[in-house]
Amino acid sequence: MPDAGWDDFQFNGIGTRWEIATPLQLEPSLQAALLRLVERFDADWSRFRHDSPVTALAREPGRHEFPAEAGPLGLLYRSLYDVTGGAMTPLIGASLERLGYDAGYSLQPSGPPQPAPAWEEVLEWTGSTVTTKAPVVLDIGAAGKGLLVDLLATELEAAGVGTFIIDASGDLLVRGPGVVPVALEHPYNTTQAIGMVSLTQRALCASAANRRAWGDGLHHVLDGKTGRPVRTAVATWALADTAMLADALATALFFVPGPELQQSFEFSWLTVFSDGSAAYSSEFEGTLFT
């Protein structure tokens, strides 16, 4: 991680732990601005808050305005919805709630798995405007944390901070000179690593079935076509120029093989399967332990 002597600004946001490492301590005013950005993002996009536009969409269909970041987010989700044949979708929220991953964190299924509604039937997402024809529960969790990483990076760069590491509980963005060695967590033993990545000037995001798991085989990575948790892949890593793209593609790797995704997106990747095997791109910037 960062060299000795770097400052480490730590805080909680959107349900996870954050660290921003910089060579010099951030000014208190910039720290406050970063925290306001995190709070604003949570207020706009959380399906766990009663006062968010996302919750309003779940109560009543119609037209809702979101912040400017909704534009590129919607385009990315639509692309991945098409590439995965509807398996990866922002309309998965109600399916997650049905299996117990709801606002109250009941972790108790209220019924059998439920497929997500078809995008074409209920959703129109144009720029920052989201229009729905029926009550829907948006869940941008597959790309949201990465998007917030990018927004924080933009805030830092606008303030003249060009060298930093943003660590959103393991999802990383590195800016500035130098190489950051990152251990790849074993999907079945969090105290072990299966490999290392040398990260420089890019984002590294991961997704794993052992994270946000509950009940008998229940976890947060659901197939939108069935509403059921994915069973084949157990952990994925994606490296890309932006954290939003890396975050989203780490989830997409649960549904579509990496080579197919590389036909549409520029990134490198690693997928570990439930049988213990692994696949990775030829340009993957890491080393697996054998």
Side-chain angles (χ1 to χ4, degrees):
M1 293 306 292
D3 295 333
W6 279 40
D7 186 70
D8 197 15
F9 176 42
Q10 301 183 19
F11 55 92
N12 293 317
I14 63 168
T16 196
R17 186 67 176 165
W18 294 73
E19 299 180 24
I20 300 178
T22 50
L24 299 175
Q25 185 176 17
L26 300 176
E27 293 291 334
S29 59
L30 179 53
Q31 292 183 1
L34 295 172
L35 294 178
R36 286 195 299 272
L37 174 56
V38 172
E39 170 58 25
R40 191 278 294 168
F41 187 89
D42 188 64
D44 284 326
W45 292 106
S46 177
R47 66 178 174 87
F48 302 106
R49 295 177 56 141
H50 67 85
D51 58 345
S52 73
V54 169
T55 303
L57 281 173
R59 289 193 300 262
E60 185 176 353
R63 175 182 171 132
H64 291 265
E65 291 295 328
F66 285 83
E69 69 262 15
L73 179 65
L75 290 174
L76 178 58
Y77 257 113
R78 181 67 218 208
S79 295
L80 288 168
Y81 180 88
D82 292 338
V83 169
T84 63
M88 183 170 169
T89 171
L91 299 168
I92 200 65
S95 304
L96 286 163
E97 291 183 345
R98 190 173 181 85
L99 293 186
Y101 194 26
D102 49 32
Y105 293 99
S106 68
L107 306 183
Q108 295 293 327
S110 60
Q114 170 182 289
W119 187 306
E120 298 82 358
E121 295 179 1
V122 299
L123 179 63
E124 181 180 336
W125 191 329
T126 305
S128 60
T129 302
V130 176
T131 305
T132 57
K133 300 177 182 178
V136 298
V137 181
L138 285 182
D139 185 288
I140 65 162
K145 187 165 60 169
L147 172 56
L148 182 52
V149 168
D150 291 336
L151 292 172
L152 290 170
T154 298
E155 189 82 12
L156 288 166
E157 291 165 346
V161 181
T163 300
F164 54 84
I165 302 169
I166 300 178
D167 182 350
S169 294
D171 289 339
L172 300 165
L173 177 66
V174 174
R175 289 288 184 262
V179 177
V180 179
V182 181
L184 304 178
E185 182 181 284
H186 195 296
Y188 296 122
N189 186 342
T190 58
T191 65
Q192 296 183 357
I194 64 169
M196 294 287 296
V197 165
S198 296
L199 188 60
T200 177
Q201 294 284 18
R202 297 192 88 193
L204 169 66
C205 293
S207 187
N210 66 326
R211 297 292 185 176
R212 285 176 285 173
W214 68 97
D216 183 14
L218 299 178
H219 59 79
H220 70 288
V221 185
L222 305 188
D223 185 330
K225 295 179 292 185
T226 65
R228 298 180 183 278
V230 180
R231 302 296 184 195
T232 305
V234 295
T236 62
W237 289 264
L239 293 100
D241 289 338
T242 69
M244 180 177 73
L245 182 58
D247 195 14
L249 290 171
T251 297
L253 285 165
F254 277 84
F255 307 111
V256 175
E260 291 186 28
L261 289 172
Q262 285 187 299
Q263 295 177 21
S264 302
F265 302 98
E266 186 174 343
F267 76 115
S268 56
W269 56 275
L270 164 67
T271 301
V272 175
F273 300 98
S274 57
D275 63 2
S277 64
Y280 51 90
S281 57
S282 59
E283 70 281 12
F284 182 67
E285 297 92 331
T287 300
L288 295 183
F289 302 146
T290 57

